[in-house]
Amino acid sequence: MPLRKLYLELTSACNLDCTICYRRTWNEGPADMSDRTLSLIKEYAGESPDLGSIVLGGIGEPTLSPLFLDALAGFPGQEITVTTNGIALAPAVIEGLGKYSSLVVFSVDGLSDTFRKIRRADLNSVLGSVRALIELRRKTARGLPKIEFQFVLSQENAADLTGIIDLAADNGVNTVTVSHLLPQDSRGALSIMYGRYGSDDTRRLYDAVRHRAMRRGVIVSLPPLELKTERRCRFAEEDAAYVTALGDVSPCYRFSHHGTEFVFGREKQIYRHSFGNMGRQSPDAIWNSREYAAFRRTLVENRYPSCPDCDLLEGCNLPDDSLADCWSGTPACSDCLWARGFMQCP
């Protein structure tokens, strides 16, 4: 299958220091995508009829990139999604989003006090950006972009979730996507709201959120509460790839950087994995390479082991990192919580 969707990490820098961010376990400095790399990607997109979607986001704040406005305007043949923390977006950024983007996803992980505790920022600075974009949309004939809130659920902010539904409705946002917390440390591992078996408290919360969303006319997407057999890699199934700020082509968010995560309380070292670099190889050569094609096929066909429900898990050290699984697959997706649906990405 051809490449249909590209996630572009224009920068790995950020203007926040959120308590739940993957970047907290990195040992690398921030990087910006080069003009040359972006130009090569734009050239490829202009010649590729199958590439239908570009996501400007990643593990960084895309609006900080000096190339952000260029990237927004640089893909006239593709739908543009932008993920942003939305902190006090400049008028030029608001104008660019209103003119070129199809969907803008704002990260809103709590009401005022909780938001400040998690993101160490003022929620009003985000809402100001949301309102400015909605007002611009109202004045234009495009009817776009669609605007969503993304909420990362944990015990720390669970009490705010129904209020977030109201906040969305009150500000003209009609969709809220909820994703579970992927812990980066042992403290976060104690704060998750999912598990091998779902809790009655979380079920009651979900019921309340669904009822509130129905009354307020808000579409809400809630992740699973407990481990299920089904596994779906959206990156593989949607023919998507992730390009880091350095131009490396990774299969997904998870393998774009070195880091640490906790899977049902178990610490796991994640290693960056690249199938090529946009600055040295053509996108088609990378995408159609034997190694990358075989990796995607394995995920789509579910021909890889499952660590969380394996009887031998406690005596096995393979789940300690992402280098390989017990069927010799590399990188290892055998305990990926994204594939289980606990984490949701645009």
Side-chain angles (χ1 to χ4, degrees):
M1 298 296 289
L3 179 60
R4 300 184 188 276
K5 187 174 185 178
L6 264 181
Y7 289 74
L8 302 184
E9 182 186 81
L10 297 177
T11 180
S12 60
C14 191
N15 52 350
L16 297 181
D17 184 24
C18 303
T19 61
I20 58 175
C21 184
Y22 308 131
R23 299 170 69 254
R24 298 182 70 83
T25 65
W26 288 5
N27 57 9
E28 60 189 80
D32 291 325
M33 183 173 286
S34 69
D35 287 312
R36 179 174 179 271
T37 296
L38 180 60
S39 294
L40 290 171
I41 295 171
K42 289 193 297 182
E43 180 180 349
Y44 170 77
E47 299 172 350
S48 175
D50 297 303
L51 182 62
S53 180
I54 299 290
V55 180
L56 303 180
I59 319 298
E61 173 51 41
T63 63
L64 296 183
S65 167
L67 301 179
F68 179 71
L69 294 179
D70 183 22
L72 263 183
F75 298 95
Q78 286 76 32
E79 290 191 352
I80 304 294
T81 295
V82 177
T83 63
T84 176
N85 60 40
I87 299 295
L89 297 181
V93 171
I94 295 292
E95 183 179 352
L97 291 172
K99 187 174 182 179
Y100 298 111
S101 66
S102 301
L103 171 65
V104 181
V105 182
F106 288 90
S107 297
V108 181
D109 297 314
L111 301 177
S112 294
D113 291 343
T114 307
F115 185 90
R116 185 178 296 278
K117 183 178 180 181
I118 293 174
R119 294 202 166 256
R120 301 173 180 177
D122 184 2
L123 177 59
N124 286 322
S125 64
V126 181
L127 297 179
S129 299
V130 172
R131 292 163 184 156
L133 186 55
I134 289 176
E135 178 62 17
L136 179 61
R137 184 180 65 185
R138 186 185 65 81
K139 294 178 179 178
T140 63
R142 285 186 76 222
L144 295 172
K146 297 179 181 178
I147 299 174
E148 294 184 7
F149 283 170
Q150 177 94 20
F151 183 95
V152 178
L153 176 64
S154 69
Q155 294 180 22
E156 188 173 14
N157 62 2
D160 285 0
L161 185 50
T162 51
I164 291 294
I165 301 297
D166 289 329
L167 186 71
D170 292 343
N171 285 277
V173 176
N174 69 352
T175 302
V176 175
T177 299
V178 180
S179 184
H180 283 299
L181 173 68
L182 182 58
Q184 311 301 302
D185 54 36
S186 56
R187 177 177 173 274
L190 298 175
S191 187
I192 62 174
M193 302 285 287
Y194 58 95
R196 294 196 62 173
Y197 307 99
S199 74
D200 291 338
D201 287 344
T202 311
R203 288 192 174 89
R204 284 190 287 269
L205 171 66
Y206 274 24
D207 287 342
V209 169
R210 290 189 185 100
H211 292 156
R212 183 68 60 87
M214 184 178 297
R215 289 199 301 270
R216 296 304 308 269
V218 173
I219 300 168
V220 62
S221 175
L222 296 169
L225 298 176
E226 58 192 2
L227 193 67
K228 300 291 186 181
T229 302
E230 182 183 10
R231 295 183 297 181
R232 291 188 61 199
C233 175
R234 287 185 56 184
F235 272 84
E237 294 191 5
E238 295 179 3
D239 300 310
Y242 184 103
V243 183
T244 72
L246 298 178
D248 291 319
V249 178
S250 294
C252 60
Y253 282 119
R254 193 186 191 213
F255 292 130
S256 61
H257 297 272
H258 296 322
T260 303
E261 64 183 35
F262 280 72
V263 181
F264 298 119
R266 289 183 294 105
E267 184 174 357
K268 185 181 188 75
Q269 182 65 42
I270 303 299
Y271 291 103
R272 177 176 57 247
H273 191 95
S274 171
F275 287 99
N277 187 279
M278 287 287 191
R280 296 188 291 271
Q281 301 153 275
S282 74
D284 282 338
I286 298 170
W287 180 255
N288 294 318
S289 67
R290 179 179 298 180
E291 181 188 13
Y292 199 178
F295 176 78
R296 297 194 307 274
R297 185 168 58 251
T298 295
L299 297 180
V300 171
E301 295 177 357
N302 260 285
R303 292 186 291 107
Y304 60 103
S306 174
C307 292
D309 44 14
C310 177
D311 292 338
L312 304 178
L313 175 63
E314 297 305 321
C316 182
N317 63 1
L318 286 173
D320 291 348
D321 60 50
S322 63
L323 292 178
D325 61 41
C326 60
W327 291 3
S328 301
T330 183
C333 301
S334 46
D335 57 359
C336 176
L337 297 180
W338 304 77
R340 300 286 186 166
F342 292 119
M343 287 81 219
Q344 303 192 77
C345 48

